[in-house]
mmCIF file of all heavy atoms in Angstrom:
data_model
loop_
_atom_site.group_PDB
_atom_site.id
_atom_site.type_symbol
_atom_site.label_atom_id
_atom_site.label_comp_id
_atom_site.label_asym_id
_atom_site.label_seq_id
_atom_site.Cartn_x
_atom_site.Cartn_y
_atom_site.Cartn_z
ATOM 1 N N ASP A 232 99.543 54.697 90.941
ATOM 2 C CA ASP A 232 100.950 54.243 91.028
ATOM 3 C C ASP A 232 100.995 52.794 91.465
ATOM 4 O O ASP A 232 100.070 52.278 92.099
ATOM 5 C CB ASP A 232 101.723 55.065 92.073
ATOM 6 C CG ASP A 232 102.029 56.487 91.643
ATOM 7 O OD1 ASP A 232 101.804 56.834 90.456
ATOM 8 O OD2 ASP A 232 102.497 57.272 92.495
ATOM 9 N N ASP A 233 102.109 52.135 91.165
ATOM 10 C CA ASP A 233 102.329 50.772 91.661
ATOM 11 C C ASP A 233 102.528 50.831 93.168
ATOM 12 O O ASP A 233 103.043 51.824 93.705
ATOM 13 C CB ASP A 233 103.579 50.168 91.022
ATOM 14 C CG ASP A 233 103.413 49.846 89.547
ATOM 15 O OD1 ASP A 233 102.251 49.695 89.100
ATOM 16 O OD2 ASP A 233 104.415 49.763 88.849
ATOM 17 N N LEU A 234 102.138 49.753 93.830
ATOM 18 C CA LEU A 234 102.473 49.622 95.267
ATOM 19 C C LEU A 234 103.986 49.365 95.359
ATOM 20 O O LEU A 234 104.540 48.620 94.555
ATOM 21 C CB LEU A 234 101.719 48.466 95.897
ATOM 22 C CG LEU A 234 100.268 48.668 96.211
ATOM 23 C CD1 LEU A 234 99.618 47.342 96.652
ATOM 24 C CD2 LEU A 234 100.071 49.720 97.279
ATOM 25 N N ILE A 235 104.616 50.000 96.355
ATOM 26 C CA ILE A 235 106.027 49.757 96.590
ATOM 27 C C ILE A 235 106.217 49.275 98.031
ATOM 28 O O ILE A 235 105.471 49.657 98.922
ATOM 29 C CB ILE A 235 106.882 50.992 96.317
ATOM 30 C CG1 ILE A 235 106.433 52.175 97.174
ATOM 31 C CG2 ILE A 235 106.887 51.357 94.848
ATOM 32 C CD1 ILE A 235 107.382 53.375 97.127
ATOM 33 N N HIS A 236 107.184 48.423 98.233
ATOM 34 C CA HIS A 236 107.514 47.924 99.557
ATOM 35 C C HIS A 236 108.401 48.968 100.239
ATOM 36 O O HIS A 236 109.458 49.315 99.733
ATOM 37 C CB HIS A 236 108.248 46.594 99.427
ATOM 38 C CG HIS A 236 108.653 46.030 100.744
ATOM 39 N ND1 HIS A 236 109.946 46.050 101.182
ATOM 40 C CD2 HIS A 236 107.943 45.411 101.715
ATOM 41 C CE1 HIS A 236 110.010 45.476 102.371
ATOM 42 N NE2 HIS A 236 108.806 45.084 102.722
ATOM 43 N N VAL A 237 107.959 49.469 101.393
ATOM 44 C CA VAL A 237 108.735 50.497 102.078
ATOM 45 C C VAL A 237 109.372 49.970 103.365
ATOM 46 O O VAL A 237 110.215 50.658 103.964
ATOM 47 C CB VAL A 237 107.906 51.761 102.397
ATOM 48 C CG1 VAL A 237 107.529 52.475 101.105
ATOM 49 C CG2 VAL A 237 106.689 51.458 103.237
ATOM 50 N N GLY A 238 108.999 48.797 103.803
ATOM 51 C CA GLY A 238 109.597 48.252 105.037
ATOM 52 C C GLY A 238 108.693 47.249 105.688
ATOM 53 O O GLY A 238 107.819 46.670 105.060
ATOM 54 N N SER A 239 108.932 47.070 106.993
ATOM 55 C CA SER A 239 108.162 46.077 107.744
ATOM 56 C C SER A 239 108.009 46.540 109.167
ATOM 57 O O SER A 239 108.730 47.427 109.649
ATOM 58 C CB SER A 239 108.843 44.712 107.686
ATOM 59 O OG SER A 239 110.142 44.809 108.221
ATOM 60 N N VAL A 240 107.013 45.962 109.843
ATOM 61 C CA VAL A 240 106.775 46.221 111.250
ATOM 62 C C VAL A 240 106.500 44.901 111.941
ATOM 63 O O VAL A 240 106.069 43.944 111.310
ATOM 64 C CB VAL A 240 105.599 47.209 111.512
ATOM 65 C CG1 VAL A 240 105.937 48.598 110.979
ATOM 66 C CG2 VAL A 240 104.300 46.708 110.937
ATOM 67 N N GLU A 241 106.733 44.873 113.245
ATOM 68 C CA GLU A 241 106.411 43.704 114.042
ATOM 69 C C GLU A 241 105.452 44.157 115.118
ATOM 70 O O GLU A 241 105.657 45.186 115.782
ATOM 71 C CB GLU A 241 107.680 43.126 114.691
ATOM 72 C CG GLU A 241 107.431 41.833 115.405
ATOM 73 C CD GLU A 241 108.738 41.195 115.865
ATOM 74 O OE1 GLU A 241 109.797 41.480 115.295
ATOM 75 O OE2 GLU A 241 108.648 40.411 116.837
ATOM 76 N N ALA A 242 104.346 43.424 115.284
ATOM 77 C CA ALA A 242 103.322 43.784 116.251
ATOM 78 C C ALA A 242 102.531 42.547 116.654
ATOM 79 O O ALA A 242 102.438 41.575 115.893
ATOM 80 C CB ALA A 242 102.363 44.816 115.644
ATOM 81 N N PRO A 243 101.946 42.571 117.877
ATOM 82 C CA PRO A 243 101.160 41.423 118.333
ATOM 83 C C PRO A 243 99.766 41.320 117.733
ATOM 84 O O PRO A 243 99.117 40.314 117.902
ATOM 85 C CB PRO A 243 101.108 41.640 119.851
ATOM 86 C CG PRO A 243 101.245 43.112 120.033
ATOM 87 C CD PRO A 243 102.120 43.582 118.917
ATOM 88 N N SER A 244 99.298 42.386 117.047
ATOM 89 C CA SER A 244 97.956 42.353 116.466
ATOM 90 C C SER A 244 97.910 43.235 115.213
ATOM 91 O O SER A 244 98.759 44.104 115.027
ATOM 92 C CB SER A 244 96.919 42.880 117.476
ATOM 93 O OG SER A 244 97.110 44.268 117.684
ATOM 94 N N ASP A 245 96.880 42.991 114.373
ATOM 95 C CA ASP A 245 96.695 43.812 113.167
ATOM 96 C C ASP A 245 96.492 45.270 113.543
ATOM 97 O O ASP A 245 97.038 46.172 112.896
ATOM 98 C CB ASP A 245 95.501 43.312 112.384
ATOM 99 C CG ASP A 245 95.705 41.948 111.757
ATOM 100 O OD1 ASP A 245 96.832 41.411 111.774
ATOM 101 O OD2 ASP A 245 94.700 41.405 111.220
ATOM 102 N N LYS A 246 95.723 45.521 114.598
ATOM 103 C CA LYS A 246 95.423 46.903 114.986
ATOM 104 C C LYS A 246 96.701 47.650 115.356
ATOM 105 O O LYS A 246 96.908 48.788 114.904
ATOM 106 C CB LYS A 246 94.449 46.893 116.165
ATOM 107 C CG LYS A 246 94.013 48.278 116.597
ATOM 108 C CD LYS A 246 92.970 48.226 117.695
ATOM 109 C CE LYS A 246 92.531 49.618 118.085
ATOM 110 N NZ LYS A 246 91.492 49.596 119.116
ATOM 111 N N LEU A 247 97.563 47.041 116.150
ATOM 112 C CA LEU A 247 98.827 47.692 116.514
ATOM 113 C C LEU A 247 99.751 47.806 115.304
ATOM 114 O O LEU A 247 100.448 48.808 115.157
ATOM 115 C CB LEU A 247 99.522 46.943 117.636
ATOM 116 C CG LEU A 247 99.023 47.273 119.041
ATOM 117 C CD1 LEU A 247 99.703 46.371 120.072
ATOM 118 C CD2 LEU A 247 99.249 48.721 119.379
ATOM 119 N N ALA A 248 99.741 46.816 114.429
ATOM 120 C CA ALA A 248 100.575 46.871 113.226
ATOM 121 C C ALA A 248 100.187 48.060 112.371
ATOM 122 O O ALA A 248 101.054 48.753 111.818
ATOM 123 C CB ALA A 248 100.448 45.581 112.436
ATOM 124 N N LYS A 249 98.889 48.336 112.236
ATOM 125 C CA LYS A 249 98.434 49.509 111.478
ATOM 126 C C LYS A 249 98.977 50.787 112.090
ATOM 127 O O LYS A 249 99.471 51.660 111.394
ATOM 128 C CB LYS A 249 96.902 49.579 111.455
ATOM 129 C CG LYS A 249 96.238 48.521 110.609
ATOM 130 C CD LYS A 249 94.736 48.731 110.686
ATOM 131 C CE LYS A 249 93.955 47.527 110.278
ATOM 132 N NZ LYS A 249 92.510 47.775 110.358
ATOM 133 N N ASN A 250 98.891 50.868 113.431
ATOM 134 C CA ASN A 250 99.393 52.072 114.102
ATOM 135 C C ASN A 250 100.885 52.215 113.941
ATOM 136 O O ASN A 250 101.375 53.304 113.641
ATOM 137 C CB ASN A 250 98.989 51.985 115.582
ATOM 138 C CG ASN A 250 99.362 53.221 116.337
ATOM 139 O OD1 ASN A 250 100.492 53.345 116.794
ATOM 140 N ND2 ASN A 250 98.428 54.145 116.452
ATOM 141 N N TYR A 251 101.641 51.127 114.117
ATOM 142 C CA TYR A 251 103.080 51.169 113.983
ATOM 143 C C TYR A 251 103.472 51.591 112.565
ATOM 144 O O TYR A 251 104.382 52.397 112.358
ATOM 145 C CB TYR A 251 103.716 49.812 114.285
ATOM 146 C CG TYR A 251 103.604 49.358 115.727
ATOM 147 C CD1 TYR A 251 103.898 48.059 116.068
ATOM 148 C CD2 TYR A 251 103.203 50.214 116.765
ATOM 149 C CE1 TYR A 251 103.819 47.615 117.392
ATOM 150 C CE2 TYR A 251 103.102 49.765 118.062
ATOM 151 C CZ TYR A 251 103.385 48.477 118.376
ATOM 152 O OH TYR A 251 103.296 48.047 119.660
ATOM 153 N N ALA A 252 102.838 51.012 111.551
ATOM 154 C CA ALA A 252 103.164 51.327 110.166
ATOM 155 C C ALA A 252 102.853 52.806 109.857
ATOM 156 O O ALA A 252 103.659 53.490 109.233
ATOM 157 C CB ALA A 252 102.379 50.432 109.220
ATOM 158 N N ASP A 253 101.699 53.253 110.332
ATOM 159 C CA ASP A 253 101.313 54.648 110.074
ATOM 160 C C ASP A 253 102.279 55.641 110.693
ATOM 161 O O ASP A 253 102.613 56.657 110.105
ATOM 162 C CB ASP A 253 99.886 54.860 110.603
ATOM 163 C CG ASP A 253 99.326 56.195 110.154
ATOM 164 O OD1 ASP A 253 99.486 56.566 108.959
ATOM 165 O OD2 ASP A 253 98.699 56.886 110.999
ATOM 166 N N THR A 254 102.753 55.358 111.898
ATOM 167 C CA THR A 254 103.649 56.285 112.568
ATOM 168 C C THR A 254 105.105 56.115 112.140
ATOM 169 O O THR A 254 105.864 57.072 112.121
ATOM 170 C CB THR A 254 103.564 56.164 114.112
ATOM 171 O OG1 THR A 254 103.844 54.825 114.495
ATOM 172 C CG2 THR A 254 102.197 56.561 114.613
ATOM 173 N N THR A 255 105.493 54.903 111.716
ATOM 174 C CA THR A 255 106.871 54.654 111.297
ATOM 175 C C THR A 255 107.146 55.180 109.892
ATOM 176 O O THR A 255 108.211 55.727 109.614
ATOM 177 C CB THR A 255 107.197 53.159 111.351
ATOM 178 O OG1 THR A 255 106.991 52.690 112.684
ATOM 179 C CG2 THR A 255 108.629 52.854 110.945
ATOM 180 N N TYR A 256 106.176 55.014 108.998
ATOM 181 C CA TYR A 256 106.370 55.388 107.603
ATOM 182 C C TYR A 256 105.496 56.593 107.220
ATOM 183 O O TYR A 256 104.790 56.582 106.237
ATOM 184 C CB TYR A 256 106.068 54.170 106.699
ATOM 185 C CG TYR A 256 106.966 53.006 107.038
ATOM 186 C CD1 TYR A 256 106.509 51.944 107.798
ATOM 187 C CD2 TYR A 256 108.284 53.001 106.628
ATOM 188 C CE1 TYR A 256 107.325 50.888 108.133
ATOM 189 C CE2 TYR A 256 109.131 51.946 106.948
ATOM 190 C CZ TYR A 256 108.650 50.904 107.710
ATOM 191 O OH TYR A 256 109.496 49.863 108.031
ATOM 192 N N ASP A 257 105.593 57.641 108.037
ATOM 193 C CA ASP A 257 104.757 58.833 107.825
ATOM 194 C C ASP A 257 105.471 59.951 107.058
ATOM 195 O O ASP A 257 105.010 61.098 107.035
ATOM 196 C CB ASP A 257 104.251 59.355 109.161
ATOM 197 C CG ASP A 257 105.361 59.850 110.072
ATOM 198 O OD1 ASP A 257 106.546 59.598 109.760
ATOM 199 O OD2 ASP A 257 105.054 60.471 111.096
ATOM 200 N N GLU A 258 106.600 59.629 106.401
ATOM 201 C CA GLU A 258 107.360 60.666 105.724
ATOM 202 C C GLU A 258 106.711 61.143 104.440
ATOM 203 O O GLU A 258 107.086 62.183 103.916
ATOM 204 C CB GLU A 258 108.806 60.182 105.409
ATOM 205 C CG GLU A 258 108.895 59.064 104.385
ATOM 206 C CD GLU A 258 108.759 57.651 104.964
ATOM 207 O OE1 GLU A 258 108.491 57.513 106.170
ATOM 208 O OE2 GLU A 258 108.931 56.707 104.190
ATOM 209 N N GLU A 259 105.758 60.429 103.926
ATOM 210 C CA GLU A 259 105.022 60.832 102.713
ATOM 211 C C GLU A 259 103.544 60.934 103.026
ATOM 212 O O GLU A 259 103.041 60.351 104.000
ATOM 213 C CB GLU A 259 105.228 59.802 101.606
ATOM 214 C CG GLU A 259 106.612 59.685 101.053
ATOM 215 C CD GLU A 259 106.978 60.797 100.100
ATOM 216 O OE1 GLU A 259 106.065 61.535 99.652
ATOM 217 O OE2 GLU A 259 108.173 60.936 99.819
ATOM 218 N N ASP A 260 102.833 61.621 102.153
ATOM 219 C CA ASP A 260 101.379 61.663 102.250
ATOM 220 C C ASP A 260 100.834 60.570 101.300
ATOM 221 O O ASP A 260 100.407 60.851 100.192
ATOM 222 C CB ASP A 260 100.857 63.055 101.843
ATOM 223 C CG ASP A 260 99.366 63.210 102.049
ATOM 224 O OD1 ASP A 260 98.793 62.419 102.820
ATOM 225 O OD2 ASP A 260 98.794 64.104 101.420
ATOM 226 N N TRP A 261 100.938 59.321 101.750
ATOM 227 C CA TRP A 261 100.587 58.192 100.927
ATOM 228 C C TRP A 261 99.104 58.218 100.548
ATOM 229 O O TRP A 261 98.263 58.520 101.363
ATOM 230 C CB TRP A 261 100.853 56.866 101.667
ATOM 231 C CG TRP A 261 102.231 56.737 102.237
ATOM 232 C CD1 TRP A 261 102.547 56.739 103.574
ATOM 233 C CD2 TRP A 261 103.450 56.569 101.556
ATOM 234 N NE1 TRP A 261 103.897 56.577 103.747
ATOM 235 C CE2 TRP A 261 104.494 56.465 102.511
ATOM 236 C CE3 TRP A 261 103.791 56.475 100.214
ATOM 237 C CZ2 TRP A 261 105.830 56.285 102.166
ATOM 238 C CZ3 TRP A 261 105.121 56.301 99.869
ATOM 239 C CH2 TRP A 261 106.118 56.199 100.836
ATOM 240 N N SER A 262 98.802 57.840 99.313
ATOM 241 C CA SER A 262 97.391 57.729 98.932
ATOM 242 C C SER A 262 96.822 56.417 99.482
ATOM 243 O O SER A 262 95.627 56.328 99.722
ATOM 244 C CB SER A 262 97.226 57.797 97.397
ATOM 245 O OG SER A 262 97.725 56.657 96.767
ATOM 246 N N VAL A 263 97.695 55.407 99.672
ATOM 247 C CA VAL A 263 97.262 54.162 100.267
ATOM 248 C C VAL A 263 98.461 53.483 100.931
ATOM 249 O O VAL A 263 99.595 53.610 100.472
ATOM 250 C CB VAL A 263 96.605 53.218 99.221
ATOM 251 C CG1 VAL A 263 97.621 52.695 98.242
ATOM 252 C CG2 VAL A 263 95.882 52.061 99.868
ATOM 253 N N MET A 264 98.201 52.811 102.035
ATOM 254 C CA MET A 264 99.196 52.000 102.714
ATOM 255 C C MET A 264 98.505 50.695 103.119
ATOM 256 O O MET A 264 97.411 50.741 103.663
ATOM 257 C CB MET A 264 99.745 52.691 103.973
ATOM 258 C CG MET A 264 100.750 51.866 104.747
ATOM 259 S SD MET A 264 101.332 52.653 106.286
ATOM 260 C CE MET A 264 102.364 53.957 105.631
ATOM 261 N N VAL A 265 99.126 49.567 102.805
ATOM 262 C CA VAL A 265 98.560 48.288 103.167
ATOM 263 C C VAL A 265 99.618 47.441 103.886
ATOM 264 O O VAL A 265 100.812 47.639 103.691
ATOM 265 C CB VAL A 265 98.023 47.509 101.948
ATOM 266 C CG1 VAL A 265 96.885 48.272 101.293
ATOM 267 C CG2 VAL A 265 99.113 47.225 100.933
ATOM 268 N N LEU A 266 99.142 46.517 104.673
ATOM 269 C CA LEU A 266 100.019 45.563 105.366
ATOM 270 C C LEU A 266 99.698 44.161 104.874
ATOM 271 O O LEU A 266 98.536 43.837 104.618
ATOM 272 C CB LEU A 266 99.760 45.597 106.879
ATOM 273 C CG LEU A 266 100.028 46.928 107.585
ATOM 274 C CD1 LEU A 266 99.633 46.816 109.044
ATOM 275 C CD2 LEU A 266 101.484 47.311 107.455
ATOM 276 N N VAL A 267 100.739 43.342 104.799
ATOM 277 C CA VAL A 267 100.569 41.929 104.475
ATOM 278 C C VAL A 267 101.327 41.149 105.539
ATOM 279 O O VAL A 267 102.500 41.426 105.798
ATOM 280 C CB VAL A 267 101.146 41.589 103.086
ATOM 281 C CG1 VAL A 267 101.003 40.113 102.781
ATOM 282 C CG2 VAL A 267 100.506 42.447 102.011
ATOM 283 N N ARG A 268 100.647 40.199 106.184
ATOM 284 C CA ARG A 268 101.352 39.352 107.134
ATOM 285 C C ARG A 268 102.416 38.569 106.365
ATOM 286 O O ARG A 268 102.114 37.971 105.320
ATOM 287 C CB ARG A 268 100.405 38.377 107.808
ATOM 288 C CG ARG A 268 99.502 39.045 108.807
ATOM 289 C CD ARG A 268 98.709 37.970 109.556
ATOM 290 N NE ARG A 268 97.689 38.613 110.337
ATOM 291 C CZ ARG A 268 96.415 38.296 110.281
ATOM 292 N NH1 ARG A 268 95.992 37.319 109.493
ATOM 293 N NH2 ARG A 268 95.539 38.952 111.009
ATOM 294 N N ARG A 269 103.623 38.583 106.884
ATOM 295 C CA ARG A 269 104.711 37.903 106.188
ATOM 296 C C ARG A 269 104.404 36.425 105.975
ATOM 297 O O ARG A 269 104.704 35.842 104.937
ATOM 298 C CB ARG A 269 106.013 38.047 106.961
ATOM 299 C CG ARG A 269 107.203 37.539 106.147
ATOM 300 C CD ARG A 269 108.527 37.845 106.754
ATOM 301 N NE ARG A 269 108.703 39.268 106.946
ATOM 302 C CZ ARG A 269 109.324 39.803 107.994
ATOM 303 N NH1 ARG A 269 109.860 39.015 108.898
ATOM 304 N NH2 ARG A 269 109.470 41.090 108.100
ATOM 305 N N GLU A 270 103.691 35.813 106.904
ATOM 306 C CA GLU A 270 103.349 34.391 106.779
ATOM 307 C C GLU A 270 102.386 34.143 105.632
ATOM 308 O O GLU A 270 102.252 33.001 105.166
ATOM 309 C CB GLU A 270 102.759 33.869 108.083
ATOM 310 C CG GLU A 270 101.427 34.509 108.440
ATOM 311 C CD GLU A 270 100.972 34.202 109.862
ATOM 312 O OE1 GLU A 270 101.793 34.163 110.771
ATOM 313 O OE2 GLU A 270 99.749 33.996 110.012
ATOM 314 N N ASP A 271 101.719 35.190 105.137
ATOM 315 C CA ASP A 271 100.770 35.043 104.028
ATOM 316 C C ASP A 271 101.416 35.235 102.646
ATOM 317 O O ASP A 271 100.750 35.038 101.626
ATOM 318 C CB ASP A 271 99.597 36.008 104.174
ATOM 319 C CG ASP A 271 98.709 35.653 105.357
ATOM 320 O OD1 ASP A 271 98.698 34.450 105.741
ATOM 321 O OD2 ASP A 271 98.045 36.559 105.894
ATOM 322 N N LEU A 272 102.689 35.604 102.627
ATOM 323 C CA LEU A 272 103.376 35.759 101.338
ATOM 324 C C LEU A 272 103.642 34.392 100.751
ATOM 325 O O LEU A 272 103.998 33.451 101.470
ATOM 326 C CB LEU A 272 104.706 36.499 101.525
ATOM 327 C CG LEU A 272 104.602 37.968 101.944
ATOM 328 C CD1 LEU A 272 105.970 38.499 102.253
ATOM 329 C CD2 LEU A 272 103.919 38.793 100.887
ATOM 330 N N ILE A 273 103.468 34.283 99.445
ATOM 331 C CA ILE A 273 103.699 33.024 98.753
ATOM 332 C C ILE A 273 104.859 33.223 97.794
ATOM 333 O O ILE A 273 104.800 34.088 96.913
ATOM 334 C CB ILE A 273 102.439 32.587 97.968
ATOM 335 C CG1 ILE A 273 101.286 32.379 98.932
ATOM 336 C CG2 ILE A 273 102.724 31.337 97.150
ATOM 337 C CD1 ILE A 273 99.942 32.227 98.266
ATOM 338 N N LYS A 274 105.908 32.468 97.973
ATOM 339 C CA LYS A 274 107.071 32.575 97.130
ATOM 340 C C LYS A 274 106.790 31.887 95.791
ATOM 341 O O LYS A 274 106.326 30.757 95.765
ATOM 342 C CB LYS A 274 108.276 31.946 97.813
ATOM 343 C CG LYS A 274 109.589 32.349 97.198
ATOM 344 C CD LYS A 274 110.733 32.055 98.128
ATOM 345 C CE LYS A 274 111.967 32.734 97.633
ATOM 346 N NZ LYS A 274 113.037 32.701 98.607
#
């Protein structure tokens, strides 16, 4: 499947961001979940 944007999280570190994302967006049994730092997005 295509990756879809489901939301965002704010955290002081990558490790905590992974935990926050996993617990916040746990409504599906995702085959994959990835995080992208907003500052790394290129318009």
Side-chain angles (χ1 to χ4, degrees):
D232 287 351
D233 290 338
L234 284 172
I235 57 170
H236 178 256
V237 293
S239 59
V240 294
E241 187 172 336
S244 69
D245 292 351
K246 184 176 181 178
L247 278 175
K249 289 180 199 180
N250 185 275
Y251 294 167
D253 190 43
T254 57
T255 302
Y256 301 101
D257 64 349
E258 68 272 6
E259 293 283 346
D260 186 20
W261 307 111
S262 69
V263 70
M264 178 183 288
V265 297
L266 299 175
V267 179
R268 287 187 190 125
R269 190 171 302 143
E270 65 192 38
D271 291 335
L272 294 173
I273 299 169
K274 196 163 193 170

